[in-house]
């Protein structure tokens, strides 16, 4: 028996889990923590990590350490799009190591998509699907045929970056939503394999999609808002929720059942990658997964330790 702590620094939030790894290859989650760090906030076109988000992030990392240190775990720390793109990446990582001792692995977009695939396939029985992980500053898309990853990509837009670029945080001009959709569809159009995956369900990962699951489950009265692994919605149900929130003010969005107040400024932008993907491949439904990059890392660690 051993312990594994995973620190996952995304563009919008930082997450930490502690897993007890058993000798038979199974594992038990002991701790799960999340902090809204918004490391990608105000990066802008210069792609510079700013001081306030950096300070928030380091504070969160120190808090995580107070939770996992007593287990003396193996620590795997990963970070994704915002740090991957940042021009001051090296300075940020050096500062984090100096202040916390944590050494981060900066995942490439391909690595992030690979771990998403491993995480989903280890917990859901799916042979045909398109996986979509919507993060704060990137989306990962993986085409699955016969249970195999046949194509994947990481694209440089996400819930936070779209919100900032197209002014979708507060009271929204509908023409700005259209501009964002045009931008997304243009980038989807560079993927010739995407349109060949018609009529497959979309498996959803990422914070914006978790928010959709909570809103959908409450609206449908079907399940606990904290238990959505394997929960599905039709594309019509997704579209209905989006059509309701796109016309709301930010204040109104802050009071939507199932939506965290801290996501009111990025929920519209966060659902646009999904909406445009659904229509591009004529998906019949979406399926929510609570397993992604972190579970992929766990699966890899168990395999390597075995």
């Amino acid at each position: 028996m051993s312990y594994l702590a995973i620190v996952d620094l995304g563009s919008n939030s930082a997450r930490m889990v502690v897993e007890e790894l058993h000798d038979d290859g199974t594992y038990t989650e002991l701790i799960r923590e999340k902090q809204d760090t918004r490391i990608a906030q105000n990066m802008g076109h210069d792609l510079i990590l700013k001081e306030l988000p950096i300070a928030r992030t380091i504070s969160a990392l120190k808090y995580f350490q107070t939770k996992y240190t007593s287990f003396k775990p193996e620590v795997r720390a990963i970070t994704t799009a915002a740090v991957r793109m940042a021009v001051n990446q090296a300075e940020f990582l050096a500062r984090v190591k100096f202040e916390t001792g944590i050494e981060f692995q900066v995942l490439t977009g391909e690595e992030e998509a690979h771990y998403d695939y491993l995480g989903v396939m280890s917990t859901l029985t799916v042979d045909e699907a398109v996986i979509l992980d919507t993060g704060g500053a990137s989306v990962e898309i993986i085409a699955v045929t016969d249970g195999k990853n046949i194509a994947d990509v990481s694209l440089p837009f996400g819930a936070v970056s779209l919100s900032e670029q197209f002014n979708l945080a507060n009271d929204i001009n509908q023409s700005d939503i259209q501009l964002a959709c045009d931008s997304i569809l243009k980038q989807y159009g560079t993927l010739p394999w995407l349109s060949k995956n018609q009529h497959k369900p979309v498996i959803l990962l990422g914070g914006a999609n978790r928010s959709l699951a909570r809103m959908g489950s409450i609206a449908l009265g079907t399940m606990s808002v904290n238990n959505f692994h394997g929960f599905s919605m039709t594309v019509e149900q997704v579209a209905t929720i989006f059509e309701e929130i796109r016309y709301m003010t930010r204040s109104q969005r802050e009071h939507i059942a199932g939506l965290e107040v801290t996501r009111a400024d990025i929920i519209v932008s966060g659902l646009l990658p999904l909406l445009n993907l659904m229509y591009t491949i004529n998906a019949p439904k979406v399926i929510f997964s609570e397993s992604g990059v972190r579970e992929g890392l766990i699966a890899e660690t168990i395999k390597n330790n075995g």
Side-chain angles (χ1 to χ4, degrees):
M1 184 178 67
S2 59
Y3 298 96
L4 171 67
I6 296 176
V7 179
D8 179 1
L9 176 57
S11 304
N12 184 59
S13 61
R15 297 172 182 269
M16 184 275 292
V17 294
V18 175
E19 307 287 346
E20 184 179 285
L21 307 183
H22 307 301
D23 295 336
D24 63 358
T26 61
Y27 60 91
T28 302
E29 183 176 289
L30 303 179
I31 298 175
R32 177 179 287 257
E33 295 276 355
K34 174 197 166 195
Q35 297 273 310
D36 291 320
T37 47
R38 290 275 176 104
I39 189 66
Q41 190 172 43
N42 298 323
M43 286 182 70
H45 296 298
D46 295 332
L47 297 178
I48 297 174
L49 299 173
K50 297 299 195 294
E51 175 57 32
L52 183 57
I54 288 175
R56 279 199 305 262
T57 298
I58 290 175
S59 176
L61 296 176
K62 290 179 178 178
Y63 168 73
F64 290 162
Q65 287 180 310
T66 68
K67 295 294 184 178
Y68 69 68
T69 300
S70 62
F71 292 94
K72 296 182 171 58
E74 174 187 353
V75 178
R76 294 196 66 175
I78 57 151
T79 187
T80 50
V83 177
R84 182 165 65 231
M85 295 185 296
V87 297
N88 57 336
Q89 174 195 120
E91 294 90 336
F92 169 71
L93 294 176
R95 179 172 167 184
V96 167
K97 183 179 179 181
F98 176 77
E99 294 198 33
T100 69
I102 298 174
E103 285 194 69
F104 274 94
Q105 174 189 0
V106 181
L107 296 185
T108 65
E110 292 73 19
E111 288 171 331
E112 191 172 358
H114 172 68
Y115 286 124
D116 276 335
Y117 166 76
L118 288 181
V120 168
M121 300 308 290
S122 68
T123 57
L124 285 177
T125 304
V126 179
D127 291 326
E128 305 288 329
V130 176
I131 300 170
L132 173 67
D133 182 356
T134 305
S138 72
V139 297
E140 284 66 49
I141 305 174
I142 305 102
V144 178
T145 298
D146 294 329
K148 306 294 184 185
N149 176 355
I150 62 167
D152 59 47
V153 70
S154 179
L155 298 174
F157 59 83
V160 175
S161 56
L162 287 171
S163 179
E164 293 181 355
Q165 182 179 355
F166 294 100
N167 304 306
L168 304 177
N170 299 308
D171 297 354
I172 298 171
N173 186 323
Q174 297 303 302
S175 63
D176 287 331
I177 292 181
Q178 187 58 53
L179 289 173
C181 288
D182 291 344
S183 176
I184 292 168
L185 288 171
K186 182 177 180 180
Q187 295 185 68
Y188 284 173
T190 66
L191 310 174
W193 51 267
L194 187 58
S195 60
K196 297 177 182 178
N197 286 270
Q198 294 291 310
H199 308 297
K200 291 185 178 182
V202 180
I203 298 178
L204 294 177
L205 310 170
N209 295 324
R210 282 189 289 270
S211 294
L212 173 63
R214 294 187 186 96
M215 290 187 291
S217 65
I218 290 174
L220 297 172
T222 56
M223 60 188 298
S224 164
V225 296
N226 294 315
N227 177 25
F228 56 82
H229 189 65
F231 172 55
S232 66
M233 296 172 62
T234 66
V235 294
E236 292 80 11
Q237 289 167 337
V238 173
T240 296
I241 288 177
F242 182 76
E243 286 303 309
E244 290 175 355
I245 67 173
R246 69 181 295 170
Y247 298 106
M248 291 181 176
T249 64
R250 177 167 177 171
S251 176
Q252 289 172 325
R253 294 195 302 273
E254 288 176 351
H255 294 90
I256 297 174
L259 178 65
E260 297 170 270
V261 172
T262 56
R263 288 189 177 272
D265 61 332
I266 58 173
I267 187 58
V268 171
S269 56
L271 293 183
L272 292 181
L274 168 61
L275 266 292
N276 288 282
L277 177 62
M278 288 190 325
Y279 299 139
T280 297
I281 68 170
N282 293 295
K285 64 179 179 179
V286 299
I287 303 169
F288 297 92
S289 173
E290 289 195 82
S291 297
V293 168
R294 289 179 297 281
E295 288 71 22
L297 284 166
I298 294 167
E300 180 184 75
T301 300
I302 291 173
K303 181 179 178 180
N304 290 343
N305 291 348

